[in-house]
Amino acid sequence: MPGPGAVLAQPLGAAISSPSKATLSLDQFVALAIQTHPSVASKRAGLNAAEAEIQAARYQYFPTPSLQLRQNRGERSTVLALQQPLWAGGRIDAGLDAASARANAASASIYETQTALALRATTVWQAWQQARGRSAAGVAGIDLLSGYAQSVARRIQAGAAGEGDRALVDARLAQAQGDLAAARASERASLAQLSQMVGQQLRSQDLIDLAPGGNDRANPSFSGDHALAIEALLAQALKVSPALHRARAEINSASHEITQKRAAQWPTLNLRAEHQRSNGAASALLPNETRYLLVMDYTPGAGLSAGANADAAAARLIGLQDNLEATQRDVIEKVSADFEEHQSSRSRLADLQRTLKANAEVLASYERLFIAGKRGWLEVINAARELTQAQTALADVQALHLASATRLRLHAGELLTP
């Protein structure tokens, strides 16, 4: 599994440091997001804290110094002591193991946050790309209808058409302008989200656009037998899933915490060295005395609190085990959904490209037949609308195709590397 410093495997180049001067691919945008987002920095701070806890747990093996100042009936004494644990019922070992497991969970949490952020960035990019494609289709449709409006105006002046034809074009043009306004609003909203994800203002020209009707050469292929492909993908996703790694590390930590809590019910054996300085005025204590003691300490806590704490830790372990199973199901659900989306979009992409080509040919034919008096004006307008709808659908599927492929690569651990 990639570690806490995971980044995109693809070289990023100048586009990362200066997005305003070069366009960002989807992979490069995702890389920029996971490098700069504060949620990742927050998880890194958590890992630093967990590593400090490991060091603190190691120090439990070392002697504990202490200093006591006493005064009683004119006698003043100072006691310097050093106490070394010899046996603690496994409490110190369990504490170190638990701290190490928490650090592993914190490390996995960084990768989990990066992956979740990358998946969210891909989804927002998909929404932006779809809105961008709808806007392009809308502009092309409005240009087409505007040309028809001018043609109708000339035909009305020549007496070859009535006002009904003008009203039809105007109605379709108003509808197309409304659709374009909605698409551009969605595009601006998605671009604002993308800008927030990288912490800097982005423009549409800062991101690589997919040309309507074009092919995405960077898109990986998830072809082959459907059942075998999804089975292999799920196995890989479950193997590298950062959420599952974190859940397992938390279970491991909870198991060691149970051992640690139960060890508190046992006494501890310590070797203690003391050096005392006293004025010796009120007792027979020697002015300078050094002694070595074998000390057994037993502090089970108030009432039966030690046993209750162990029971509480055991209950938390059961909850974490149930959470592991829920997380595994969630991974399977997400991977399966993205796989089906990708497979569906791959087949629809070829169909829509053929549909777009056919609609363009039909419209051109209808325009010629209309001039020859063999097609009606409504048929031409409907063919133009079908062409715009095909362009819009193709833009949606193109964005879905690339985004779903990127999400599958993220699930499979192919994009993030140590």
Side-chain angles (χ1 to χ4, degrees):
M1 183 191 72
V7 296
L8 280 184
Q10 177 182 350
L12 304 180
I16 289 298
S17 59
S18 184
S20 61
K21 297 180 181 180
T23 53
L24 294 171
S25 68
L26 174 56
D27 284 4
Q28 290 171 332
F29 172 77
V30 169
L32 184 61
I34 66 175
Q35 288 173 5
T36 60
H37 204 273
S39 63
V40 178
S42 173
K43 295 299 181 180
R44 292 187 191 281
L47 176 60
N48 292 337
E51 289 174 343
E53 289 180 356
I54 293 178
Q55 190 61 36
R58 286 198 182 103
Y59 283 142
Q60 298 302 309
Y61 290 104
F62 290 82
T64 302
S66 63
L67 172 64
Q68 292 181 340
L69 301 177
R70 303 171 182 171
Q71 183 168 353
N72 182 28
R73 298 179 181 180
E75 177 188 325
R76 294 186 301 275
S77 61
T78 302
V79 179
L80 296 173
L82 199 63
Q83 183 163 299
Q84 172 65 48
L86 300 178
W87 184 80
R91 176 180 57 81
I92 299 177
D93 293 339
L96 178 58
D97 292 338
S100 299
R102 285 193 295 270
N104 291 336
S107 179
S109 182
I110 295 176
Y111 182 38
E112 180 184 14
T113 300
Q114 290 176 324
T115 303
L117 184 61
L119 289 170
R120 185 158 62 92
T122 302
T123 300
V124 177
W125 180 92
Q126 175 187 333
W128 169 80
Q129 183 64 70
Q130 288 175 331
R132 183 104 170 141
R134 293 190 194 107
S135 296
V139 169
I142 289 175
D143 289 343
L144 191 60
L145 290 172
S146 297
Y148 290 158
Q150 295 175 4
S151 177
V152 166
R154 290 192 298 268
R155 289 173 61 83
I156 291 175
Q157 289 178 355
E163 289 296 330
D165 291 341
R166 187 202 302 271
L168 177 60
V169 175
D170 289 345
R172 293 290 175 85
L173 188 58
Q175 181 182 1
Q177 290 170 339
D179 292 341
L180 177 60
R184 284 179 170 170
S186 178
E187 182 183 348
R188 289 192 298 269
S190 298
L191 191 60
Q193 287 183 275
L194 293 174
S195 298
Q196 287 299 313
M197 298 190 80
V198 296
Q200 54 187 290
Q201 187 62 43
L202 295 176
R203 301 165 300 171
S204 292
Q205 54 266 38
D206 295 329
L207 301 170
I208 291 179
D209 195 7
L210 295 177
N215 293 317
D216 171 36
R217 292 175 295 177
N219 192 9
S221 176
F222 291 90
S223 57
D225 183 82
H226 184 281
L228 293 178
I230 184 60
E231 182 179 348
L233 184 61
L234 284 173
Q236 177 67 10
L238 292 173
K239 178 181 178 181
V240 303
S241 170
L244 291 177
H245 280 278
R246 175 191 50 78
R248 294 188 185 102
E250 289 177 346
I251 289 175
N252 192 23
S253 174
S255 299
H256 293 305
E257 287 178 2
I258 292 175
T259 302
Q260 190 178 22
K261 299 294 184 183
R262 286 175 177 166
Q265 302 177 68
W266 293 88
T268 60
L269 187 63
N270 306 282
L271 178 62
R272 183 181 179 89
E274 291 185 352
H275 178 73
Q276 180 175 269
R277 286 181 176 273
S278 173
N279 58 12
S283 68
L285 290 176
L286 298 175
N288 291 286
E289 181 179 5
T290 300
R291 54 186 176 180
Y292 300 93
L293 306 93
L294 193 61
V295 180
M296 178 176 288
D297 289 332
Y298 182 55
T299 54
L304 302 176
S305 60
N309 288 335
D311 293 340
R316 283 194 294 270
L317 176 60
I318 294 174
L320 290 172
Q321 290 170 337
D322 291 337
N323 180 68
L324 174 63
E325 182 178 353
T327 302
Q328 181 171 320
R329 293 184 183 183
D330 186 57
V331 170
I332 294 174
E333 179 183 346
K334 289 179 179 179
V335 173
S336 299
D338 285 332
F339 181 82
E340 294 301 332
E341 279 191 344
H342 180 72
Q343 294 294 92
S344 174
S345 64
R346 186 160 62 93
S347 61
R348 291 172 59 200
L349 194 58
D351 293 338
L352 284 171
Q353 287 171 339
R354 290 192 294 267
T355 300
L356 180 62
K357 181 180 179 180
N359 284 344
E361 292 173 351
V362 167
L363 178 58
S365 175
Y366 277 23
E367 289 176 344
R368 292 191 299 269
L369 292 173
F370 173 74
I371 295 174
K374 296 182 180 180
R375 289 294 181 198
W377 187 239
L378 179 60
E379 292 176 298
V380 175
I381 297 299
N382 285 343
R385 181 173 63 179
E386 289 175 0
L387 177 62
T388 301
Q389 290 174 341
Q391 291 172 333
T392 300
L394 180 58
D396 286 349
V397 173
Q398 277 185 310
L400 175 60
H401 188 50
L402 178 57
S404 61
T406 302
R407 285 192 288 267
L408 290 178
R409 293 163 65 199
L410 285 166
H411 290 314
E414 294 181 7
L415 281 181
L416 294 178
T417 59

